[in-house]
Amino acid sequence: MLAAGDPLFADGVDLTVVLIVIAKTVVVFGAMLVSVLLLIWFERKLVADMQARIGPNRAGKFGVLQTLADGIKLFFKEDFLPTQADRRVYRLAPYLATVPAFLSFAIVPIGGTVTIAGHQTRLQLADPPVGILFLLAMSSIAVYGVMLAGWSSGSKYPLLGAVRGSAQMVSYEAALGLSTVAVVLVTGSLLTSDIVAGQSGEGLFGIIPNWNVLRLGFIPFVVFFIAGTAESNRPPFDLVEAEQELVGGFHTEYSALRFALFFLAEFMNTITISAIMVTLFLGGPSGPGPDSGLIGALLPVFWFLLKVFAMLCVFVWLRATLPRFRYDRLMDLGWKKLIPLSLAWLLIQAAFLVDVKWGIVVFTGAAVMGVLLWRAMEVGHGATEHEAPAPPKFQEVR
Amino acid sequence: MVAQNIVFGVLAVAMGLAAIRVVTTKNVVHAALYLVVVLAGVAALYILLAAEFIAVVQVIIYIGAIVLLILFGTMLTRAPIGRASDLDNDQRWLGVVVALLLLGVMGSVLADAFGSTKLPKAPQIQRTGDVGLSIFQTYVVPFEVVSVLLLAALVGAVVIARRD
């Protein structure tokens, strides 16, 4: 097995292995770039449809080449460097945003195992033993891109956007990690290939799939979905950019190719978070079909792409539907709702794994505690309400 | 093992240079970024020792949380672009003394514990499960003590930050 479970290549590598790894990297990178181009077009077109507009329709059939045209335009534009900017950090920041967005896709299993030139290899760029923790490490590095871009611009709107955005990303990373722990708990492994393999069997009644989204009782999936949306700064959590309040947010001062890199990173993150969600909760490449032959090798890839496409449609739909969160509500949702919810659910799940009796006991206990806590907060709100200062009245203009 | 020694040499030189820049640079944000380079070097050293889990945790905790909070704090209060003149003060010699004392204590502890131990020829791959088992079985009491200490720090921070 190629490089699986052997981070140091202790058994040695030969030229074929190196060539296979390079080929896989190039193919995945190219596919990511093309899908970002298509996703931007698709998003503009679908949002336009939902808002009864036409959307891009000039470049190519149905305007499908619009993003390519935009990209070429940005490539030839002048790269502007503000005088107040911190030069080196300003130049570094776009790459700190783009590289982790691509790297975290490396752990996603795209299909089953294939044989190339006598070497068995997984349709997956890397399968490190730390598996899903790699995603958390990459998403914590991605924060630096936003933060340093905002600071190094030497301008107040980018700085405000960056401080806001990095606080948001750090807050939601906790919820993201806790909902991932639920998946690791039932799988018993950090490897993404094991997580996918654990979901591949038949579920209840032989019809319902054995996916984690059902096995874990929806709550970790919902938490991961919300946290992932916030982590990739997609609407309705796009407070980093917030055009109406912050001009353009953290990338206000950026232009030309560097701006394009931020755009690329955002859409790559959307694809990556969809693919990770498919891997963790929706069974990855598993689906009905034969196991052997050419169809057996290609069908899992088809199922994987179909599921990712479905998730991407949901993301575009959310963007067209929901208004942006207010900042205090965003922090409320993250710290006071998502994190306690996922912690309590994790405890219940662990108890059910030990024994059904324990599970019921912990579930009842958590429910009672939750109701008591809610009641206490209601009483607290009621007690402070009459003491709070009345809202200011408008004075009559004479 | 030759390749590993070369990689170690490169990493050690890069980390040393970055560590010197942390204390000599005239910009707070640059100092924090050089600190990121040092900590990333530590993570790379862990990977070199085939301790992947510790390496990733190093990235998540130190780079992704601690330095980020340092940066966050400086940006919320003041983080000027360009050189700052008031970064040095007259306590630098005291700092040197404390640093040397720390080096002595940690060095002697390490030499005392592992002075004659040699790394095995073949790299021992540390599985995440092994690390988890040793934390929650062998070292469960120190783990809980550290947790209580962190909780105390958290409560203290809330008390300090409260307005009333």
Side-chain angles (χ1 to χ4, degrees), chain A residues 3-5 7 103-109 122 124 126-139 180 183-184 187 189-196 276 279-280, chain B residues 52-54 56-57 60 126-129:
Chain A
L103 280 185
S104 31
F105 191 83
I107 56 165
V108 175
R122 291 214 183 96
Q124 177 179 3
D127 195 16
V130 285
I132 200 66
L133 282 178
F134 186 74
L135 167 81
L136 298 179
M138 283 304 122
S139 73
T180 314
V183 176
V184 176
T187 314
S189 167
L190 289 167
L191 285 167
T192 42
S193 52
D194 283 354
I195 290 172
V196 166
I276 295 277
T279 305
L280 289 182
Chain B
E52 277 196 315
F53 175 71
I54 311 289
V56 173
V57 168
I60 294 176
Q126 282 279 335
R127 296 277 172 226
T128 311

Side-chain angles (χ1 to χ4, degrees), chain A residues 7 86 129 133 144 151 154 163 170, chain B residues 30 52 63 68 72 75 79 81:
Chain A
D86 186 302
L133 282 178
Y144 278 86
W151 172 76
V163 169
V170 170
Chain B
H30 284 184
E52 277 196 315
I63 299 179
L68 203 72
F72 198 69
M75 279 184 197
I81 285 178

Side-chain angles (χ1 to χ4, degrees), chain B residues 66-163:
Chain B
I66 292 180
V67 180
L68 203 72
L69 284 183
I70 294 175
L71 275 173
F72 198 69
T74 48
M75 279 184 197
L76 274 180
T77 49
R78 47 159 211 171
I81 285 178
R83 300 159 72 87
S85 53
D86 56 344
L87 280 185
D88 289 330
N89 57 28
D90 50 3
Q91 294 187 339
R92 59 166 69 180
W93 297 112
L94 196 63
V96 169
V97 172
V98 171
L100 283 177
L101 270 178
L102 253 179
L103 179 73
V105 169
M106 288 165 84
S108 62
V109 166
L110 274 180
D112 192 40
F114 303 105
S116 53
T117 320
K118 279 198 174 143
L119 271 182
K121 277 277 184 233
Q124 280 184 317
I125 296 175
Q126 282 279 335
R127 296 277 172 226
T128 311
D130 303 341
V131 177
L133 282 181
S134 71
I135 287 180
F136 289 107
Q137 283 180 346
T138 323
Y139 301 107
V140 68
V141 175
F143 177 78
E144 290 297 332
V145 170
V146 170
S147 314
V148 173
L149 186 72
L150 284 177
L151 184 68
L154 210 66
V155 173
V158 170
V159 169
I160 290 172
R162 267 177 78 103
R163 263 199 216 116

